[in-house]
């Protein structure tokens, strides 16, 4: 579904991503793990069209998307839940979710998409009239994912969905993401903490200093000393 | 409920003005209604999209000169046709202007709109054979709903039929703008204002939405400009001058750009305050400057921002 091939990204003169390659298949959950500053968010932002690769290709459903505008990539069916949640503060919870059904018409009916978003995060229905600033960090994360889900995407990109959350909320969000995978969406998830990688992840990529140093099954990562050195010290 | 009551009282008061207020105050309401239309459009760009235009007098000028050309050169006197033509002319000019301007934001957007406004101002000033130069052009009294009211005394015409015609135009403009800002399109504009980068991830083409908002706001300014031309009976290049654009921004700030009705309140207060201050002191701009400074410091949300908004939170 998503194929990132040998992508090089520069931010001004800095070479940030070095020949990064990764794949996300249909209905797969793929995790990109790395320390802060390793290049996870840059990889995701490049896929979303915020950054233009200097070399390499990115294809989604067989269509080249590198160089395309972000809104075009979103309309192709890529949902994005950023690290800072990106909630629109002047809109209510309901409007934050509904807006995605208007901006990408077609596909499933709007009512079905909304029902799906509220099915995954039922707590949001009770806060429908609230505005973004009146919600907790965990609820904002939920809203961010629910909004991306309402776009009716084939693939969801989640940038550190557990970042900054209390340990009590992490399992709730993780269970919700599991529900999303059961609905048939592919997921590309970036995470800095290996212990937050869900057990239902199909594949794991480890990125360090802008290079992918491991690609394989999550349990295999622990057998690679180089990878353990990078991710093993985290708790 | 409370807002509906306030609106009903305000509407009743505006309807009653020709019956209860001195004629001087009735005539002051005419620019209020014209500016009201203009500011509804300007606030779609300013308050809802986050783009501050310092050149919207360009479109007021276009609307006003369209009225002058139609009534003078082309002998078209039906105000409905004049308003419609002003809207079309403003839209046609706004399309390429917006295409240039919306590629930029913040001060760059403001400066570009200012530049386009000044280009049009200079055009009006220098092409005097066509536009009358600094003397401007006369605007003949338009027909209202097909009725030639030429034999009616001007004051009577303005304070009676023209007043209510302007009021109906303002009400229609309010109703249409209300629909726009509460539509999915309006919500998309808010997301662009709050965070354009995140809005893109929802499939929103930010430049396209900004362009559309700009063109709509120009149409409103064109219609308002055409309404503004009749009471004075003459149009001149100062209508398109940058200080006029500055006044529009001032009115919006005065009432409060965060509120739908804020700009209307701003227009009303501005016109009456300007009239009062001008009658008291010769240095009225000095007073206005002080008011603007005080407003920004003590009431950045404008006059309507002084009233806390009630927020309804649905219980579980």
């Amino acid at each position: 579904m998503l194929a990132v091939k040998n992508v090089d990204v520069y931010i001004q003169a800095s070479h940030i991503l070095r020949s990064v390659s990764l794949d996300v298949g249909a209905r797969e959950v793929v995790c990109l793990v790395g320390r802060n500053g390793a290049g996870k968010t840059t990889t995701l932002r490049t896929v979303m069209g915020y950054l233009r690769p200097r070399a390499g290709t990115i294809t989604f459903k067989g269509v080249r998307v590198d160089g395309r505008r972000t809104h075009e990539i979103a309309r192709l069916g890529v949902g994005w839940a950023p690290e800072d949640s990106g909630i629109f503060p002047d809109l209510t919870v309901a409007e934050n979710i509904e807006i995605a059904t208007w901006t990408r018409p077609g596909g499933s009916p709007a009512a079905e998409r909304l029902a799906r978003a509220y099915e995954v995060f039922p707590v949001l229905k009770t806060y429908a009239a609230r505005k973004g600033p009146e919600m907790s960090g965990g609820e904002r994360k939920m809203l961010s994912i629910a909004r991306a889900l309402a776009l009716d995407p084939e693939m969801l990109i989640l940038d550190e969905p557990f970042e900054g959350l209390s340990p009590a909320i992490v399992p709730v969000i993780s269970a919700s993401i599991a529900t999303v995978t059961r609905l048939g969406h592919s997921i590309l998830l970036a995470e800095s903490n290996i212990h937050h990688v869900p057990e239902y992840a199909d594949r794991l990529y480890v990125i360090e200093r802008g290079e992918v140093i491991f690609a394989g099954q999550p349990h295999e990562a622990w057998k690679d000393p180089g990878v353990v050195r990078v991710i093993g010290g985290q708790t | 409920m409370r807002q509906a009551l306030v609106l009903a009282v305000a509407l009743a008061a505006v309807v009653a003005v020709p019956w209860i207020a001195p004629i001087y105050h009735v005539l002051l309401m005419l620019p209020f209604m014209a500016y009201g239309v203009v500011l509804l459009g300007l606030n779609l760009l300013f308050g809802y999209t986050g783009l501050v235009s310092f050149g919207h007098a360009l479109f007021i000028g276009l609307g006003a000169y369209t009225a002058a050309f139609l009534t003078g050169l082309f002998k078209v006197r039906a105000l409905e046709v004049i308003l419609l033509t002003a809207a079309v002319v403003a839209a046609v000019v706004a399309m390429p202007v917006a295409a240039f301007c919306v590629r930029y934001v913040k001060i760059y957007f403001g400066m570009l709109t200012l530049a386009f406004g000044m280009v049009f101002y200079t055009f009006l000033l220098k092409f005097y054979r066509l536009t009358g130069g600094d003397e401007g052009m006369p605007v003949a009294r338009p027909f209202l709903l097909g009725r030639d009211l030429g034999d009616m005394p001007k004051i009577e015409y303005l304070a009676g039929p023209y007043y209510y015609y302007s009021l109906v135009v303002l009400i229609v403009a309010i109703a249409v703008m209300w629909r726009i800002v509460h539509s999915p399109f309006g919500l998309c504009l808010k997301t662009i204002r709050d965070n354009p980068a995140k809005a893109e991830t929802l499939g929103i083409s930010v430049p396209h939405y900004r362009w559309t908002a700009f063109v709509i706001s120009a149409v409103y300014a064109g219609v308002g400009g055409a309404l503004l031309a009749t009471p004075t009976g003459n149009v001149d290049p100062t209508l398109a001058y940058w200080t006029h654009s500055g006044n529009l921004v001032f009115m919006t700030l005065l009432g409060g750009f965060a509120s739908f009705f804020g700009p209307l309140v701003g227009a009303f207060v501005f016109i009456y305050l300007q009239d009062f201050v001008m009658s008291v002191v010769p240095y009225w701009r000095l007073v206005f400057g002080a008011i603007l400074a005080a407003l920004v410091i003590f009431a950045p949300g404008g006059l309507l921002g002084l009233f806390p908004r009630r927020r309804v939170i649905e219980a579980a």
Side-chain angles (χ1 to χ4, degrees), chain A residues 48 50 69-71 74-75 78 80 82 84 86 88-91 95 99-100 102-104 126 128-131 134 147 151, chain B residues 183-184 187-188 190-207 209 309 311-316:
Chain A
M48 279 310 294
Y50 286 119
R69 298 283 305 272
T70 301
H71 74 270
R75 284 183 189 174
V78 182
W80 161 261
D84 65 359
F88 300 108
D90 209 30
L91 270 57
E95 287 170 340
I99 199 162
W102 302 319
T103 54
R104 190 181 177 230
T126 59
R130 282 196 191 178
K131 294 201 171 181
E134 296 162 2
R147 189 180 61 195
L151 197 66
Chain B
S183 69
L187 289 179
C188 288
K190 284 185 183 181
T191 67
I192 290 169
R193 177 199 62 198
D194 291 342
N195 195 331
K198 297 283 164 32
E200 287 257 350
T201 66
L202 294 178
I204 296 170
S205 171
V206 171
Y209 275 73
R309 268 193 280 180
R311 184 161 289 170
V312 180
I313 297 173
E314 271 183 23

Side-chain angles (χ1 to χ4, degrees), chain A residues 33-34 37 55 75 84 106-107 138 143 145 148 154-155 157 162 192 213:
Chain A
V33 177
R75 284 183 189 174
D84 65 359
L143 178 53
I145 300 170
E154 278 81 7
M155 189 180 82
I157 296 181
F162 311 112
S192 56
I213 59 168

Side-chain angles (χ1 to χ4, degrees), chain B residues 177-252:
Chain B
M177 187 55 72
W178 182 268
R179 288 287 300 162
I180 290 172
V181 301
H182 290 91
S183 69
F185 172 77
L187 289 179
C188 288
L189 292 183
K190 284 185 183 181
T191 67
I192 290 169
R193 177 199 62 198
D194 291 342
N195 195 331
K198 297 283 164 32
E200 287 257 350
T201 66
L202 294 178
I204 296 170
S205 171
V206 171
H208 179 72
Y209 275 73
R210 281 180 175 151
W211 181 87
T212 309
F214 192 109
V215 174
I216 293 171
S217 74
V219 165
Y220 268 69
V223 171
L227 273 186
L228 204 57
T230 302
T232 51
N234 192 70
V235 294
D236 65 64
T238 56
L239 280 168
Y241 197 50
W242 71 271
T243 53
H244 197 200
S245 296
N247 283 350
L248 300 177
V249 175
F250 184 17
M251 289 182 207
T252 310

